[in-house]
Amino acid sequence: FVLESHASETIAVEVPSTAFPSGTNSLLVLTSGVNGDEMTRGIVKPFFDFVPPNVTAQSVRFSDSDGAIGVIGGIVAVTRATQESGVIAYEAYWAMSSTHVLAGTVSLGRVNLTASIANDPVANITIADGTIINQSASQIGRAHV
């Protein structure tokens, strides 16, 4: 594709969905002149073809063990997905729904899928006592990493 612009110092280009050759690890950008001559060296940006896992945990349970008002603590028990291809961890976040993690929130806790829990159908995420409840959240959501 060719992009022509004289209006800005910054140019954004949407690259169409394209299969890239095996072994590709960078994007090379070259400039060219009106006669079609290209610069001999360009700008290289490494990239990674990341596709997040597309699996869902079977269920999530949480019981607040911190008795104070306005804060929580306890175990988020995640009944793991039946097929976890590509999943290396489960992580808990403040959420508005099962698909909407609150923007700007940090992880409440994480459990990595290691050999020590390989045969356990439940992955437990510990949320520290005294964790302040996010007033914008309606629930604790989970994500597969």
Side-chain angles (χ1 to χ4, degrees), residues 1 3 12-17:
F1 60 89
L3 175 71
V13 178
E14 184 173 329
V15 178
S17 181

Side-chain angles (χ1 to χ4, degrees), residues 128-145:
D129 283 346
T131 299
I132 297 172
I133 297 172
N134 185 320
Q135 297 302 311
S136 298
S138 63
Q139 58 190 291
I140 295 173
R142 49 80 196 109
H144 311 103
V145 182

Side-chain angles (χ1 to χ4, degrees), residues 108-128:
L108 295 170
R110 173 184 173 124
V111 60
N112 293 316
L113 300 183
T114 60
S116 65
I117 66 166
N119 295 321
D120 192 340
V122 176
N124 291 318
I125 301 170
T126 301
I127 297 179

Side-chain angles (χ1 to χ4, degrees), residues 28-110:
L28 172 64
V29 176
L30 300 171
T31 59
S32 64
V34 291
N35 296 327
D37 352 337
E38 291 181 344
M39 62 191 288
T40 57
R41 288 183 34 187
I43 298 171
V44 177
K45 178 69 178 172
F47 71 87
F48 305 94
D49 186 25
F50 173 71
V51 179
N54 188 19
V55 298
T56 302
Q58 295 179 60
S59 66
V60 176
R61 289 184 324 274
F62 175 74
S63 180
D64 184 9
S65 61
D66 184 318
I69 296 173
V71 295
I72 64 167
I75 301 293
V76 177
V78 180
T79 304
R80 295 165 55 174
T82 54
Q83 191 285 104
E84 293 180 316
S85 178
V87 177
I88 62 168
Y90 288 93
E91 201 152 5
Y93 293 90
W94 291 117
M96 290 302 297
S97 71
S98 63
T99 59
H100 183 147
V101 171
L102 285 178
T105 60
V106 296
S107 171
L108 295 170
R110 173 184 173 124

